Amino acid sequence: NKNVVKEIMIENLDEKNGLVITNIGASVFSGLTNMTTIEIPDTITSIGESAFYQCNTLTSIVIPNSVTTIGSAFSSCESLTSVTIPNSVTSIGSSAFWYCTKLANITIPNSVTIIGDSAFANCASLTRITIPDSVTSIGDHAFSDTKAISSIVADKVVNISSSYTFENSSATNISLKSIMNIPGGCFQGCNALQELTLNSAITNIGGSAFNSCQFQKLTPTKFNNLKYLGNNVWNGNSTYAGSIDLKKSTDLTIIYDHTFAACTKISEIKFKPLRILKKFLSFSDFCKKNDYDIVHFHLTRPYDVMYSLCVKKDTYVIFHSHFANRRDYRLSEKITECLFKFIMRIKGDVFM
């Protein structure tokens, strides 16, 4: 009867003759709802999938130095408050500590290189996470919905490989000083975010990476090596009042739609004339707030797409406005003049 077991001690039967236990298999102890303690011998090298799944009264666990891999071993252990992960562990698997709602602190050792999908997702009491520089791969939703977390520090991590890693986290401070690539949706919905620190040499920011994040402080404000800036990256930030300078990102040839949409307080956006504009900026709220002269004009194209031209201080930007199946707009003399100036400014670069 699973409801009777309160304590488990794993012992090797005949260690002298090589009869030792090296693996805790999948789901072996899952659902032991009254188990409070377990002793794991130092012969164990791996803990299998769902090995302790829904052991709801288990409060603490010490993983021995012999273990190198942790699967989804402790998912939904809702009373777990303390976990010791040794320096022998190289991989924390998918859903390893998913829904451990009372786990407040955890130290990830420098030996870990992989953090799997949803490894710490829905850890509602987790307050702080420091990711060591040994980590090369962080899975989808690895720390998503961590509603108590205040700080995410990954200053030595070079790459986050998957999307939505910290989605809907409550972090107020995010520091990513060495990250070169931020995947799509990585910090989407982090509404409590106040301070964001990035690498000035970052090359890629995926779509919706910081969508709806309300940070007030951005460090740095100049980005010199961006090659890709996806759609909705900063969409919905109505609190940041500083500037963003992309002028030295010479390889940035496309800025996708809604990148700065609803950024009503941002003071200035700088970037070089773009060579190819396949999808166009949609940041009408920003333009209106900064008194841009917004001129609508119609181009004969497939799908009858409407575009807009923003003109201010000799800076010309074309951005996607909306799909229009409405009346035609004729190119007035003013629009023709503005469009001609834009074409002259990009000096023969291709407009698509």
Side-chain angles (χ1 to χ4, degrees), residues 86-344:
N87 284 323
S88 58
V89 173
T90 59
S91 175
I92 299 174
S94 297
S95 301
F97 298 97
W98 174 79
Y99 230 96
C100 292
T101 54
K102 292 185 179 180
L103 185 62
N105 295 288
I106 193 163
T107 299
I108 300 174
N110 285 323
S111 56
V112 172
T113 59
I114 298 171
I115 299 175
D117 296 348
S118 302
F120 297 94
N122 294 97
C123 288
S125 299
L126 194 63
T127 57
R128 191 176 190 276
I129 189 73
T130 299
I131 301 172
D133 56 349
S134 57
V135 173
T136 57
S137 176
I138 304 176
D140 289 349
H141 299 281
F143 298 93
S144 65
D145 293 292
T146 47
K147 298 297 186 180
I149 203 165
S150 60
S151 177
I152 297 170
V153 180
D155 283 338
K156 294 185 178 181
V157 178
V158 175
N159 188 47
I160 298 174
S161 57
S162 300
S163 302
Y164 304 101
T165 305
F166 300 94
E167 184 186 27
N168 297 327
S169 164
S170 64
T172 57
N173 173 52
I174 295 174
S175 186
L176 310 167
K177 292 181 179 178
S178 300
I179 294 286
M180 299 298 289
N181 172 63
I182 298 177
C186 194
F187 297 92
Q188 178 174 262
C190 294
N191 298 324
L193 182 61
Q194 297 176 14
E195 186 172 348
L196 175 63
T197 303
L198 300 176
N199 181 358
S200 62
I202 194 169
T203 58
N204 298 283
I205 302 179
S208 299
F210 299 98
N211 191 359
S212 300
C213 292
Q214 300 298 321
F215 59 85
Q216 299 175 28
K217 183 178 180 181
L218 175 65
T219 305
T221 59
K222 293 183 179 181
F223 299 93
N224 300 329
N225 294 292
L226 268 176
K227 297 179 180 179
Y228 178 83
L229 189 62
N231 64 303
N232 294 297
V233 170
W234 282 291
N235 188 352
N237 186 327
S238 59
T239 60
Y240 179 65
S243 64
I244 294 177
D245 188 344
L246 309 173
K247 290 186 74 172
K248 290 188 177 180
S249 291
T250 56
D251 291 330
L252 183 65
T253 58
I254 303 173
I255 297 180
Y256 286 89
D257 54 312
H258 303 285
T259 305
F260 301 99
C263 293
T264 54
K265 290 188 177 180
I266 194 168
S267 62
E268 189 174 24
I269 302 170
K270 298 178 181 179
F271 52 90
K272 71 178 187 64
L274 302 179
R275 174 172 289 274
I276 301 176
L277 301 169
K278 289 185 178 179
K279 290 191 176 181
F280 300 84
L281 285 171
S282 178
F283 55 117
S284 56
D285 290 333
F286 165 74
C287 292
K288 290 174 184 176
K289 184 259 180 185
N290 287 280
D291 299 322
Y292 276 74
D293 180 13
I294 303 178
V295 183
H296 294 280
F297 64 93
H298 180 273
L299 294 177
T300 304
R301 288 176 174 255
Y303 311 114
D304 197 23
V305 181
M306 179 69 67
Y307 298 94
S308 299
L309 182 64
C310 282
V311 183
K312 184 181 179 183
K313 295 180 181 178
D314 199 33
T315 300
Y316 302 90
V317 180
I318 292 183
F319 66 95
H320 172 246
S321 177
H322 60 279
F323 289 92
N325 292 316
R326 306 176 186 178
R327 66 183 183 276
D328 287 344
Y329 286 74
R330 294 183 179 179
L331 289 176
S332 67
E333 291 181 3
K334 181 178 181 181
I335 297 171
T336 304
E337 180 183 355
C338 289
L339 185 58
F340 177 76
K341 286 182 179 179
F342 177 83
I343 294 171
M344 291 300 291

